[in-house]
Amino acid sequence: AFNVVFEAVRRGARVMVYELLDDGSRAQVKAGVAAVKALQAALEKRFPEPAARTKYLADRQLAWVERVADEKALFAALWDAGALSADLPPGQTAGIEKVEPRGERATVHVKGDTGAVREFAMARDAQKRWSFAGLEATLEREGLRRLEAEARALPPPTP
């Protein structure tokens, strides 16, 4: 199963990687979409003119927020923004060193382009399918908490 994740990352197949996420990571993406929708609504109230909204988001390096309509779009936007890269399998020439199964979980050790070995988590769900389980904390931080913070930091409307 990790080989599928690895190959999808290598090819940049964001939606395929999303489809291979474990339930905890998907829950964070879903919560992130709710935060995006709340931010979008607050932005529309604060900046009724689309150009002003676009400029504000571009200045905050969040231009992608206006393109998010669902979980897959949010995952793709976070991927494109580089928010997930540290937690995804590395480069073109990386390879699996070993796999340590532990019941319903497994740790996959991957040797990257530089020779460094990194660990990635996999989890088996109730239907006995293996899923990529290493993104939950990053998705919460980048997809939920950051967007909630942006909504709180939104400047008040000008009179």
Side-chain angles (χ1 to χ4, degrees), residues 12 15 19 37-38 57 59 67 71 77 109 113 119 124:
V15 173
E19 295 291 339
K37 294 205 182 282
L57 288 169
D59 290 347
R67 295 186 309 270
E71 287 88 358
H109 300 264
D113 301 341
E119 295 180 0
R124 194 174 356 214

Side-chain angles (χ1 to χ4, degrees), residues 35-121:
V36 165
K37 294 205 182 282
L39 178 58
Q40 288 170 339
L43 284 165
E44 287 176 12
K45 286 181 183 175
R46 171 60 182 93
F47 301 104
E49 295 296 320
R53 198 166 45 246
T54 300
K55 182 184 178 332
Y56 177 82
L57 288 169
D59 290 347
R60 310 261 317 151
Q61 297 179 342
L62 291 169
W64 53 266
V65 165
E66 290 199 305
R67 295 186 309 270
V68 173
D70 60 18
E71 287 88 358
K72 291 177 184 176
L74 176 58
F75 186 79
L78 292 171
W79 177 301
D80 291 346
L84 307 176
S85 59
D87 297 314
L88 294 171
Q92 300 290 335
T93 61
I96 296 173
E97 289 285 303
K98 69 178 176 177
V99 177
E100 295 177 349
R102 292 188 184 108
E104 300 301 310
R105 310 264 314 159
T107 302
V108 181
H109 300 264
V110 176
K111 188 173 188 176
D113 301 341
T114 64
V117 176
R118 293 177 48 206
E119 295 180 0
F120 297 93

Side-chain angles (χ1 to χ4, degrees), residues 3 28-29 35 40 45 51-52 63 83 91 130:
N3 284 328
Q28 290 304 324
V29 175
Q40 288 170 339
K45 286 181 183 175
W130 286 98

